[in-house]
Amino acid sequence: MLKPYDRLTDRLSAAAPAVLPSLSRLVFAGVLLFYFWSSALTKLGPGPFGFLSPSDGAYIQIFPKAVEAAGYDFGQLGLLHWAVVVAGMWAEFALPLMIVLGLLTRLAALGMIGFIVVQSLTDVYGHGVGGDDLGRWFDAMSASLILDQRALWGALLLTLVFLGAGPLSLDRLLARARPLSPPTQQS
C-alpha cells in the first residue's frame, strides 16, 4: 500500500524544481505584478522625466512623517529622500518584471522581499497601520494586510530565492549561453 504512495511522492519531488519556480512566477505575475506597477505609477512625476522627478504623493507614501514635519513643503526634503523615493519607484517597476521574465530571479526575489519588509515597516510606523489590518498569526482571520498577506508574498518569493526561476526563464537561457568554466585545480 505504501509503494504506490512512495512512487507518487518520488515523482512529485523530482518535478518540484521545475514546477514550483515556474508556478511561483506565474502566481506572482497574476497576483502582484500589476499591484506593484500600479503603485509605482503613482510615484511618477509629470512629463517625460517623471522617472527622475517623483510625484508629491511618492514622498507622502514613503516618508509620511518627514513630509508632515516639513509642512508639506517638499523643497525641504533632502537628496537622501529623493534618492530613496526614486530607487523605490524604479524597484517597483524593475524587480517584478525581472521575476516574471526569470531574469536574475534569485536576486530580484531577494530585492522584492527587502522591498516588502520596508513597505510593511513604512505602513506600520509611518502610516500607523495596526489592529485588524496588521493582523495576527495563528488566528481564524487570514486576510490581514501585513502579517498574513505579506507573509504569503514572502514565502512565494523565498521559493524563487531557493529554487531559482525554473526551466522557462531568461536565467535558464543565459545559463545555456555561458561557456562552462573549467574545474579549478586544488593544491
Side-chain angles (χ1 to χ4, degrees):
M1 183 167 148
L2 291 177
K3 283 185 182 184
Y5 175 78
D6 289 342
R7 280 194 301 274
L8 174 63
T9 57
D10 287 346
R11 287 183 186 138
L12 291 173
S13 294
V19 173
L20 289 178
S22 301
L23 182 60
S24 294
R25 288 180 33 242
L26 178 65
V27 170
F28 181 89
V31 175
L32 293 173
L33 175 67
F34 294 107
Y35 167 84
F36 284 110
W37 280 3
S38 294
S39 176
L41 286 171
T42 68
K43 294 174 180 71
L44 283 174
F49 294 103
F51 65 95
L52 292 174
S53 178
S55 68
D56 292 346
Y59 290 97
I60 293 169
Q61 288 176 46
I62 296 173
F63 293 111
K65 291 187 178 183
V67 169
E68 186 177 352
Y72 293 88
D73 178 4
F74 298 97
Q76 290 186 28
L77 300 176
L79 180 62
L80 177 65
H81 292 96
W82 173 84
V84 169
V85 169
V86 168
M89 175 177 52
W90 291 355
E92 276 188 302
F93 282 120
L95 294 175
L97 179 62
M98 291 169 68
I99 287 170
V100 171
L101 295 174
L103 177 63
L104 303 174
T105 307
R106 292 173 196 252
L107 185 61
L110 277 173
M112 283 304 307
I113 290 168
F115 190 93
I116 290 166
V117 168
V118 170
Q119 173 189 22
S120 300
L121 292 172
T122 300
D123 285 343
V124 172
Y125 295 107
H127 296 286
V129 172
D132 289 340
D133 288 333
L134 179 63
R136 283 175 222 74
W137 279 6
F138 309 107
D139 63 4
M141 305 303 293
S142 65
S144 72
L145 178 64
I146 307 295
L147 289 179
D148 292 334
Q149 288 182 13
R150 295 187 186 164
L152 288 171
W153 299 357
L156 178 78
L157 290 164
L158 281 172
T159 300
L160 298 173
V161 169
F162 285 106
L163 296 177
L168 303 173
S169 66
L170 290 178
D171 286 345
R172 186 65 56 97
L173 286 175
L174 292 173
R176 287 185 181 153
R178 277 193 303 262
L180 293 174
S181 58
T184 58
Q185 297 281 335
Q186 292 186 1
S187 46

